[in-house]
Amino acid sequence: MPKITEAKILILATNGFEQAELEVPRDKLREAGATVDVASLDGQKIKGWDKTDWGQEVDVDKALDDVRVTDYDALVLPGGQINPDLLRVEPEAIALIKEFNNAGKVIAAICHAPWLLIEAGLVSGREVTSYKSISTDVQNAGGNWKDVEVVSDNGIVTSRNPGDLEAFCKKIVEEVQEGRHDRKAA
């Protein structure tokens, strides 16, 4: 079984991510011993959204083009309304998510980030939670939407909102330590 202290985790985001949904998993996973990289589309700093207004900038380690799925054990997708909406129209971002899926690696999406899972074709037939306002989107994509704190379905972890971050991070650690998850290709 892999250890979280040996894991390498990627967070993919762009401007408009919900501040806590990037920073809390980044910090909690690092505290647990994982190496965590943040990637943006161009490798430049990105600015968060903090509840009702723009938040702080976050340093970025890599550009999306420089990311290799083979270097990572898991992918974390922060929500907010803006971030996943911008990322879901980026073919390279969706291709990366599909590649993580096809490699059986953990994918974790919170709040509105399941939009990215929908775009990648990963929710059909799967139990998923999300921010309530996109529950219909999840269901229309064939997902079985649950109004619960965190759902894990074969290594794909979803969570409702920033109030669930503690449970979200704990489930990511658990899934990473389980290792590879065999599932159908995207």
Side-chain angles (χ1 to χ4, degrees):
M1 239 184 208
K3 294 180 182 167
I4 193 66
T5 55
E6 299 166 357
K8 197 160 179 197
I9 299 172
L10 180 70
I11 297 175
L12 175 63
T14 193
N15 291 310
F17 61 88
E18 183 64 39
Q19 200 81 41
E21 294 175 10
L22 185 150
E23 292 178 341
V24 172
R26 178 198 63 197
D27 297 348
K28 292 272 186 203
L29 293 166
R30 285 177 178 166
E31 286 170 19
T35 300
V36 180
D37 288 338
V38 177
S40 68
L41 296 172
D42 60 6
Q44 301 299 308
K45 288 184 179 187
I46 50 177
K47 191 165 192 164
W49 184 264
D50 197 359
K51 298 177 185 85
T52 60
D53 203 353
W54 289 101
Q56 302 299 311
E57 282 189 333
V58 168
D59 289 329
V60 170
D61 303 294
K62 293 185 172 223
L64 178 58
D65 286 345
D66 298 326
V67 170
R68 302 292 166 256
V69 172
T70 54
D71 293 340
Y72 295 96
D73 300 292
L75 173 64
V76 176
L77 303 168
Q81 291 174 307
I82 301 166
N83 170 62
D85 198 38
L86 293 174
L87 286 176
R88 68 182 173 161
V89 297
E90 294 292 334
E92 297 84 7
I94 299 308
L96 181 78
I97 294 165
K98 288 179 178 181
E99 195 175 341
F100 266 89
N101 178 73
N102 296 347
K105 297 187 179 196
V106 174
I107 301 171
I110 187 168
C111 188
H112 287 75
W115 269 339
L116 295 164
L117 303 179
I118 291 168
E119 196 64 36
L122 302 182
V123 302
S124 183
R126 186 177 305 284
E127 290 193 357
V128 177
T129 193
S130 66
Y131 196 71
K132 194 169 185 99
S133 68
I134 69 165
S135 63
T136 301
D137 298 340
V138 169
Q139 292 168 356
N140 286 343
N144 181 12
W145 189 81
K146 301 282 190 187
D147 188 13
V148 295
E149 176 174 77
V150 176
V151 172
S152 180
D153 188 326
N154 199 16
I156 295 184
V157 179
T158 52
S159 190
R160 289 182 303 203
N161 60 55
D164 301 327
L165 281 167
E166 193 73 36
F168 180 62
C169 294
K170 185 177 178 183
K171 185 52 83 172
I172 293 168
V173 169
E174 182 182 309
E175 292 296 322
V176 166
Q177 292 187 151
E178 280 184 13
R180 189 176 194 288
H181 294 79
D182 292 321
R183 50 186 177 243
K184 69 177 187 172

